Amino acid sequence: MTTQPRRSKITPEREQEFYEAALDLLREDGYEALTMEGVAARSRCGKSTLYRQWGTKQRLVAAALRGTRCVRLADIDTGTLEGDLRAVARSAALFSARDTSLTHALGHAVLQNPELLRALREALIEPEIAAINAMVRRAVERGEIAADNPAAEFVSVQLSGVIRARPMLEGLPADEAYLTRFIQASILPALIRRTATPS
Amino acid sequence: MTTQPRRSKITPEREQEFYEAALDLLREDGYEALTMEGVAARSRCGKSTLYRQWGTKQRLVAAALRGTRCVRLADIDTGTLEGDLRAVARSAALFSARDTSLTHALGHAVLQNPELLRALREALIEPEIAAINAMVRRAVERGEIAADNPAAEFVSVQLSGVIRARPMLEGLPADEAYLTRFIQASILPALIRRTATPS
């Protein structure tokens, strides 16, 4: 009885348009000011379409965060840790502006709204942590990093932290050149085995 | 004519009470919901007192951010970089909860309000960056860090980033034990000269 999936007349393309409209409005005016009516007007549909599909603005925003995620750090596998992290620098820089403005726009709302916080974490944060931790694990397996190197646990929080902190501290985005310098200067020296140590 | 400072009947102690009331309400309900009336009620004064002294809620919040700052990283000087950074870990952990909730509460408002963003940076961010950069400079002068070590520029952004990112990534505050492990595992190994290099 409940196995029959709910039928939706919305095509995936149209769904993406609703998601983009919701996130654009979110970035422009913040979460409090966002309304289903506003998203309907921006995407030229009746608001009943949105209510039927998502019910609340909270559910629409959560779906939009999940549905528009396109960084696929999990696909990166260049064969070296340095290559993997340079590829992260490329994609992270591409998407950090989007993520920063969304995080700011959601700001206080996520603190009061556990479902929204969970959606933000699932959409923006957890896939990146998992992908970076997998890169580090592969580097350990290849012998690039000592298995007991205590710096290994901090790679994802360091990258994520620097991407979030540079705009606050220096008023500049953490672009690819900056992240690449950071990876070379600070991340790799603490991780990579310097010399073959005699055993 | 304008050299005579404006007379205020508010004592420094009373001023601190207004500041704490404003920041408490800010953390509880966010910037949009904050009103001069609310601060007046919380601190049991007439709202005209607040209007006379600060004019707008924006100026009150900016003054409160500046006036309640009590981390004095600039006073830390233990004689070694490791000692200095461990002391940072102690104070940063103490204040990171306060700063994180304020940053979240101000969220979207700072993006639309340059005076507020400037106050946030002056009160919470710039004194810490300057203090950490001074620690690194002293370590270079003592010969603990090579003068051309490219990791030196990233110390403040890394510390600040990890403090902000850990709660997002792991749902846990960056407490003293965590920051100390991070400094030992990731920051110092990339900075400190390993051996006396022959010149």
Side-chain angles (χ1 to χ4, degrees), chain A residues 30-105:
Chain A
Y31 183 77
E32 306 306 330
L34 185 76
T35 61
M36 295 294 249
E37 289 69 20
V39 178
R42 174 71 63 110
S43 52
R44 282 185 287 268
C45 73
K47 65 182 176 180
S48 61
T49 307
L50 301 181
Y51 278 111
R52 203 174 323 118
Q53 192 72 14
W54 290 284
T56 63
K57 78 168 179 179
Q58 175 182 317
R59 298 238 298 271
L60 171 59
V61 168
L65 287 171
R66 291 194 189 94
T68 58
R69 188 67 182 160
C70 35
V71 189
R72 292 285 302 152
L73 294 189
D75 295 338
I76 295 171
D77 188 1
T78 65
T80 66
L81 183 64
E82 180 173 347
D84 286 357
L85 293 181
R86 281 173 169 273
V88 171
R90 262 191 305 281
S91 356
L94 269 177
F95 289 91
S96 73
R98 169 190 190 268
D99 292 4
T100 303
S101 65
L102 282 176
T103 306
H104 276 288

Side-chain angles (χ1 to χ4, degrees), chain A residues 26-32 100-101 103-108 110-112 117 120-121 125-126 129 149-158 160-162 164-171 178 181-187 189-190 194, chain B residues 26-32 100-101 103-108 110-112 117 120-121 125-126 129 149-158 160-162 164-171 178 181-187 189-190 194:
Chain A
L26 189 59
R27 272 186 286 256
E28 289 165 21
D29 303 319
Y31 183 77
E32 306 306 330
T100 303
S101 65
T103 306
H104 276 288
L106 288 167
H108 202 66
V110 298
L111 295 182
Q112 299 172 320
L117 178 60
L120 188 70
R121 294 174 79 127
I125 297 171
E126 283 164 13
I129 304 177
N149 185 323
E153 103 172 79
F154 296 104
V155 178
S156 56
V157 79
Q158 274 179 292
S160 165
V162 163
R164 285 170 175 78
R166 194 192 191 202
M168 290 288 282
L169 267 65
E170 302 179 15
Y178 180 85
R181 276 197 296 129
F182 170 62
I183 289 165
Q184 294 289 349
S186 298
I187 304 243
R194 254 127 231 273
Chain B
L26 189 59
R27 274 185 285 255
E28 287 164 23
D29 303 318
Y31 183 77
E32 307 305 331
T100 304
S101 66
T103 307
H104 276 289
L106 288 167
H108 202 66
V110 299
L111 295 180
Q112 300 172 318
L117 178 59
L120 189 70
R121 295 174 79 128
I125 299 170
E126 282 164 14
I129 304 176
N149 186 322
E153 102 171 83
F154 296 104
V155 178
S156 56
V157 79
Q158 274 183 291
S160 165
V162 163
R164 286 171 175 76
R166 193 189 191 203
M168 291 287 282
L169 266 65
E170 302 179 17
Y178 180 85
R181 277 198 295 129
F182 170 62
I183 288 165
Q184 295 289 348
S186 298
I187 302 245
R194 255 127 229 276

Side-chain angles (χ1 to χ4, degrees), chain B residues 66-186:
Chain B
R66 290 194 190 96
T68 58
R69 189 66 181 160
C70 35
V71 189
R72 292 284 303 154
L73 295 190
D75 295 338
I76 296 171
D77 188 1
T78 65
T80 67
L81 183 64
E82 181 173 346
D84 286 356
L85 293 180
R86 280 174 169 273
V88 171
R90 261 191 305 280
S91 353
L94 270 177
F95 289 90
S96 72
R98 170 191 190 265
D99 293 3
T100 304
S101 66
L102 281 176
T103 307
H104 276 289
L106 288 167
H108 202 66
V110 299
L111 295 180
Q112 300 172 318
N113 196 324
E115 197 197 324
L116 208 54
L117 178 59
R118 199 169 55 242
L120 189 70
R121 295 174 79 128
E122 282 177 16
L124 304 183
I125 299 170
E126 282 164 14
E128 292 190 357
I129 304 176
I132 290 168
N133 288 343
M135 291 169 194
V136 172
R137 215 162 36 238
R138 291 195 303 264
V140 170
E141 284 161 11
R142 285 189 300 257
E144 289 182 75
I145 305 177
D148 60 352
N149 186 322
E153 102 171 83
F154 296 104
V155 178
S156 56
V157 79
Q158 274 183 291
L159 281 169
S160 165
V162 163
I163 289 168
R164 286 171 175 76
R166 193 189 191 203
M168 291 287 282
L169 266 65
E170 302 179 17
L172 292 169
D175 59 17
E176 183 183 345
Y178 180 85
L179 286 175
T180 303
R181 277 198 295 129
F182 170 62
I183 288 165
Q184 295 289 348
S186 298

